[in-house]
Amino acid sequence: MRTWEANIRNVEPYVPGEQPKGADLIKLNTNENPYPPSPSVEKALKELDYDQFRKYPDPKASDLVHVLSEYYGVGNDEVFVGVGSDDVIAMAFMTFFNSELPILFPDVSYSFYKVWAELFGIPYKTPVLQEDFTIRKEDYYKANGGIIFSNPNAPTGVLLPLDEVEAIIAHNQNSVVIIDEAYIDFGGESAVKLTRKYENLLVVQTFSKSRSLAGMRIGYAIGHPDLIRSIHDVKYSYNSYTMNMPSLILGREAVKDDNYFKECLDKIIKTREEAKKRLKDLGFSFPDSKANFIFAAHKEIKAEDIYKALREAHIFVRYFNLPRLDNYLRITIGTEEEMKQLFDFLEAFLSN
Amino acid sequence: MRTWEANIRNVEPYVPGEQPKGADLIKLNTNENPYPPSPSVEKALKELDYDQFRKYPDPKASDLVHVLSEYYGVGNDEVFVGVGSDDVIAMAFMTFFNSELPILFPDVSYSFYKVWAELFGIPYKTPVLQEDFTIRKEDYYKANGGIIFSNPNAPTGVLLPLDEVEAIIAHNQNSVVIIDEAYIDFGGESAVKLTRKYENLLVVQTFSKSRSLAGMRIGYAIGHPDLIRSIHDVKYSYNSYTMNMPSLILGREAVKDDNYFKECLDKIIKTREEAKKRLKDLGFSFPDSKANFIFAAHKEIKAEDIYKALREAHIFVRYFNLPRLDNYLRITIGTEEEMKQLFDFLEAFLSN
């Protein structure tokens, strides 16, 4: 081994999900929104001042922070924005999880929590979800260096009711509790309203799912000004200018068009509820989802076989070859037409 | 103190440089390019497919990596891209600087090196630049956990000739050596050509200065495939999707238009050389700059007084209230017209 190699940080490299290319494929594998962002985003895109690209963007992301603080009825000093919720949560891990005690997150959850803990050398424990994929809140009533979980959870779509979320926070006033609400807009009740009650609570959301802007990389966190100040301090010590100019402007426009946002959400929720019926009729079972995906297992056919058959038909869903998850498919809710094609295929495939 | 506060990472918050707003001001304080990016960037901006914003960008940034690898005559596996060179260097610190031995960088250099070392808990030592602000290469001939310096250096503009850069690398085969070439295109000889000779060498550049795209946040590193693989592994463990869709497309177009790029560089270099003459005539002295700024001290008037007077006239330059630097102004090279206004003001101010 070359000497310098001994000092390279040792990580288990994360492999990002596949991004298949092509016009005729149906992409239901990464929980993107099937609808484009608001027309006001398109208008702002057309009006971007090309000459301004030579200048640094606003390091404080003030305009974007301000529309978010107005939207959620909090102060500008209660909002932090980053390059997708991954950037926000990674910064939060670096900022808040520096205890000798392990942080806690569910064994089945967003796979990046473990990756970040290992990257930053944070000890962690992963309480096991119950058989029905629900969180047992009492598992989080013990000394810890921090808590994080997704709500609704990924990749199950299961929502923990807000009173149980609050019970976990209330039992953990000594550490920072992060609720990752990437999918909350699809039918859950947000913990944002609890951030004024619990100053150790950080709620993280993203523009990548409900706001149709995965391509722009925008995430944010809401919490007590002391939490936000601390994460800002770390962020400014890492990279002062993370949000580029188009993301600041287009993100702002996306938040301002609330009618369009809610119309798209209504359509996705309606399509999801129809999909639940169709899946049931076809012999699938699944925990009830409040997200923009359904985590479904078939009573007879192995998930991996269905996944492969769908793939051959250019329909991409997500398959996790992991213990407890390997008989499920995570199916993103697409447009009505995309779901029709999915079900047409499944109907033919399963009746063979 | 609330219990959770004890586990917050303790950082000395970095304060980003001011971004004054207003149409009539002359901004020579953050080393931005005075010329807009290539017209082909504007064309690509107009052609961005708004519907694609709902999808995740390519996590591998393949197209952008490819145009850079072609431009520099290296392989795709020798290029890493990130959210500005700050992101690239921060990732490199996290990836490569994990020794018990201190890393080395000059006492006068890019102020972020110290900030990153402290953020990640990396021990460091800062050999003192010589009186004329040049690096004494022998100061780097000792055991270390890594080396980083800017070439040309910031905020001085002083270029270390490539044979001396190579001498430092050649004496340090046991640790990773990072050359931060943010300003190399303005008149220096790049160490990129040495990356095939020294597998422990990482060369970092940026789109923020010479390529007129500070607003897009694009930086990159070139080095041996083993270095690039390691930094990719850390990057994918941190955030798989850092580069947003517009940055990937517009960055690619900027690299492709090499004629425009070189025309802008020629103009800036010509303006810089004229500025040197004018500054000298006005009683300033400065180390010879090969960057897009000049670091100048006046023989009679204190830098802070000139800085404040310029500011009142809406002309912004950079002033560092730090030992060794506090009698200098860092003046970014603007357009000919902007420089004319600067010199008109200085001439009047200094003759009072």
Side-chain angles (χ1 to χ4, degrees):
Chain A
M1 184 189 264
R2 291 157 291 192
T3 314
W4 50 266
E5 282 186 286
N7 295 318
I8 288 182
R9 187 176 293 253
N10 199 5
V11 295
E12 187 70 47
Y14 177 85
V15 181
E18 78 192 316
Q19 288 289 7
K21 280 178 186 172
D24 61 337
L25 59 85
I26 297 182
K27 194 168 175 309
L28 305 174
N29 68 333
T30 51
N31 297 342
E32 288 147 341
N33 200 306
Y35 303 107
S38 155
S40 67
V41 172
E42 185 175 23
K43 184 164 174 287
L45 172 67
K46 296 250 178 293
E47 290 169 359
L48 281 182
D49 182 356
Y50 145 83
D51 183 59
Q52 293 300 307
F53 281 40
R54 66 183 186 81
K55 289 191 188 161
Y56 282 95
D58 171 14
K60 294 183 178 164
S62 309
D63 288 355
L64 180 57
V65 162
H66 187 64
V67 296
L68 285 167
S69 69
E70 289 210 317
Y71 190 83
Y72 290 102
V74 298
N76 290 343
D77 59 353
E78 292 167 88
V79 178
F80 173 82
V81 301
V83 181
S85 57
D86 284 351
D87 182 47
V88 174
I89 301 173
M91 287 278 168
F93 270 54
M94 222 197 295
T95 307
F96 302 118
F97 293 166
N98 298 291
S99 168
E100 304 281 307
L101 290 171
I103 62 166
L104 305 177
F105 51 85
D107 68 327
V108 172
S109 195
Y110 185 39
S111 56
F112 247 105
Y113 302 153
K114 193 176 155 222
V115 174
W116 288 315
E118 292 187 351
L119 177 67
F120 299 128
I122 301 165
Y124 63 93
K125 283 195 176 156
T126 56
V128 177
L129 287 185
Q130 300 178 97
E131 199 53 43
D132 63 355
F133 291 123
T134 56
I135 285 176
R136 206 180 74 93
K137 62 182 186 303
E138 293 78 11
D139 289 344
Y140 296 82
Y141 296 175
K142 58 177 119 178
N144 61 69
I147 288 174
I148 183 164
F149 58 89
S150 314
N151 196 39
N153 199 10
T156 64
V158 173
L159 182 77
L160 190 68
L162 192 59
D163 59 339
E164 296 196 38
V165 172
E166 180 166 4
I168 291 175
I169 303 162
H171 273 83
N172 287 283
Q173 297 294 293
N174 290 338
S175 51
V176 172
V177 179
I178 302 175
I179 317 293
D180 176 357
E181 296 190 336
Y183 301 103
I184 198 73
D185 292 325
F186 300 105
E189 194 180 358
S190 172
V192 165
K193 66 178 66 158
L194 301 177
T195 57
R196 293 241 167 132
K197 190 168 173 187
Y198 300 99
E199 55 190 23
N200 62 320
L201 168 64
L202 193 74
V203 179
V204 178
Q205 297 192 8
T206 175
F207 282 57
S208 298
K209 322 289 184 186
S210 58
R211 295 194 182 275
S212 303
L213 280 175
M216 290 309 288
R217 320 304 310 119
I218 309 172
Y220 53 102
I222 296 175
H224 188 278
D226 290 348
L227 290 185
I228 298 300
R229 191 181 313 114
S230 300
I231 194 170
H232 265 131
D233 286 351
V234 168
K235 173 238 149 70
Y236 285 130
S237 297
Y238 182 87
N239 186 354
S240 307
Y241 302 97
T242 51
M243 308 296 292
N244 70 15
M245 186 262 267
S247 71
L248 294 175
I249 293 174
L250 305 188
R252 183 188 68 199
E253 293 308 311
V255 179
K256 282 159 76 177
D257 191 354
D258 202 43
N259 287 337
Y260 177 87
F261 173 63
K262 294 206 165 116
E263 276 166 30
C264 290
L265 286 177
D266 287 347
K267 281 196 282 188
I268 293 164
I269 291 167
K270 181 166 167 281
T271 309
R272 178 188 69 204
E273 297 307 312
E274 282 159 10
K276 289 178 186 171
K277 284 183 213 147
R278 291 297 305 272
L279 285 169
K280 216 166 185 176
D281 291 347
L282 288 166
F284 285 91
S285 63
F286 42 85
D288 190 40
S289 170
K290 294 290 184 190
N292 70 333
F293 55 83
I294 297 173
F295 195 58
H298 194 264
K299 61 182 175 190
E300 285 164 4
I301 317 292
K302 287 204 308 198
E304 190 170 8
D305 294 341
I306 306 175
Y307 164 74
K308 285 180 178 165
L310 283 167
R311 219 184 123 94
E312 293 225 337
H314 293 212
I315 300 174
F316 290 79
V317 300
R318 190 80 184 259
Y319 171 69
F320 300 92
N321 194 2
L322 291 171
R324 288 192 81 180
L325 309 184
D326 60 358
N327 202 29
Y328 288 84
L329 298 172
R330 194 194 66 186
I331 304 164
T332 303
I333 305 302
T335 60
E336 278 191 33
E337 174 57 29
E338 287 171 329
M339 297 309 276
K340 182 181 176 309
Q341 292 191 50
L342 169 74
F343 287 118
D344 286 352
F345 177 86
L346 285 176
E347 206 160 69
F349 177 74
L350 295 170
S351 67
N352 277 341
Chain B
M1 186 190 263
R2 292 157 290 190
T3 315
W4 51 266
E5 282 186 285
N7 294 318
I8 288 181
R9 187 176 293 252
N10 198 4
V11 295
E12 187 68 46
Y14 177 86
V15 181
E18 76 190 318
Q19 287 289 6
K21 280 178 186 173
D24 62 336
L25 59 84
I26 296 181
K27 195 167 175 310
L28 305 174
N29 68 332
T30 52
N31 297 343
E32 288 146 340
N33 200 307
Y35 303 107
S38 156
S40 67
V41 171
E42 185 174 24
K43 183 163 174 288
L45 173 67
K46 297 252 177 293
E47 290 168 0
L48 281 181
D49 182 357
Y50 145 83
D51 182 58
Q52 293 300 308
F53 281 40
R54 67 183 185 82
K55 289 191 188 160
Y56 282 97
D58 171 15
K60 294 183 180 165
S62 310
D63 287 355
L64 180 57
V65 162
H66 187 64
V67 296
L68 285 168
S69 69
E70 289 210 317
Y71 190 83
Y72 291 102
V74 297
N76 290 343
D77 59 353
E78 292 167 87
V79 178
F80 173 82
V81 301
V83 181
S85 57
D86 284 352
D87 183 46
V88 174
I89 301 173
M91 288 278 168
F93 270 54
M94 224 197 294
T95 306
F96 301 118
F97 293 166
N98 297 290
S99 167
E100 304 281 308
L101 291 171
I103 63 166
L104 305 177
F105 51 85
D107 69 328
V108 172
S109 195
Y110 185 39
S111 56
F112 247 105
Y113 302 152
K114 193 176 156 221
V115 174
W116 288 315
E118 292 187 349
L119 177 66
F120 299 127
I122 301 165
Y124 63 92
K125 283 194 176 156
T126 56
V128 177
L129 287 185
Q130 300 179 97
E131 199 54 43
D132 63 355
F133 292 123
T134 55
I135 285 177
R136 207 181 74 95
K137 61 182 188 302
E138 293 77 12
D139 290 344
Y140 296 81
Y141 296 175
K142 56 177 122 179
N144 61 70
I147 288 174
I148 183 165
F149 58 89
S150 315
N151 196 38
N153 199 11
T156 64
V158 173
L159 181 77
L160 190 69
L162 192 59
D163 59 337
E164 297 196 37
V165 172
E166 180 166 3
I168 291 175
I169 304 163
H171 273 83
N172 287 284
Q173 297 294 294
N174 290 338
S175 51
V176 172
V177 179
I178 303 176
I179 317 293
D180 176 356
E181 295 190 338
Y183 301 102
I184 198 73
D185 292 325
F186 300 104
E189 194 181 357
S190 172
V192 165
K193 66 179 65 156
L194 301 177
T195 57
R196 293 241 166 129
K197 189 167 173 188
Y198 300 98
E199 54 190 23
N200 62 320
L201 169 63
L202 193 75
V203 179
V204 177
Q205 296 193 8
T206 175
F207 282 57
S208 299
K209 322 289 184 186
S210 57
R211 295 194 183 275
S212 303
L213 280 175
M216 289 309 286
R217 319 305 309 120
I218 308 173
Y220 53 102
I222 296 176
H224 188 277
D226 290 348
L227 291 185
I228 299 301
R229 190 182 311 114
S230 300
I231 194 169
H232 265 133
D233 286 352
V234 168
K235 173 237 149 70
Y236 285 130
S237 298
Y238 182 86
N239 186 354
S240 307
Y241 302 98
T242 51
M243 308 297 292
N244 69 16
M245 186 262 270
S247 71
L248 294 176
I249 293 174
L250 304 188
R252 183 188 67 199
E253 294 307 312
V255 179
K256 281 158 76 176
D257 191 354
D258 201 43
N259 286 337
Y260 178 87
F261 173 63
K262 295 209 164 115
E263 275 167 30
C264 289
L265 286 178
D266 287 346
K267 280 196 283 189
I268 292 164
I269 291 168
K270 181 166 169 280
T271 309
R272 178 187 70 205
E273 297 308 313
E274 282 160 9
K276 288 178 186 172
K277 282 182 214 149
R278 290 298 305 270
L279 285 169
K280 215 166 186 178
D281 292 346
L282 287 166
F284 285 91
S285 62
F286 42 86
D288 190 41
S289 170
K290 294 291 183 188
N292 70 334
F293 56 83
I294 297 173
F295 194 60
H298 194 265
K299 61 182 177 190
E300 286 164 5
I301 318 292
K302 288 203 309 195
E304 190 170 8
D305 294 341
I306 305 175
Y307 164 74
K308 285 180 177 164
L310 284 167
R311 219 184 124 95
E312 294 224 338
H314 294 213
I315 300 174
F316 290 79
V317 300
R318 191 79 184 261
Y319 172 67
F320 300 91
N321 194 2
L322 291 170
R324 289 192 81 181
L325 309 185
D326 61 358
N327 202 29
Y328 287 85
L329 299 172
R330 194 194 66 187
I331 304 164
T332 303
I333 305 302
T335 60
E336 277 191 34
E337 175 56 31
E338 286 171 328
M339 298 309 275
K340 181 181 178 310
Q341 291 191 50
L342 169 74
F343 288 118
D344 286 353
F345 177 87
L346 285 176
E347 205 160 71
F349 177 74
L350 294 170
S351 66
N352 276 340

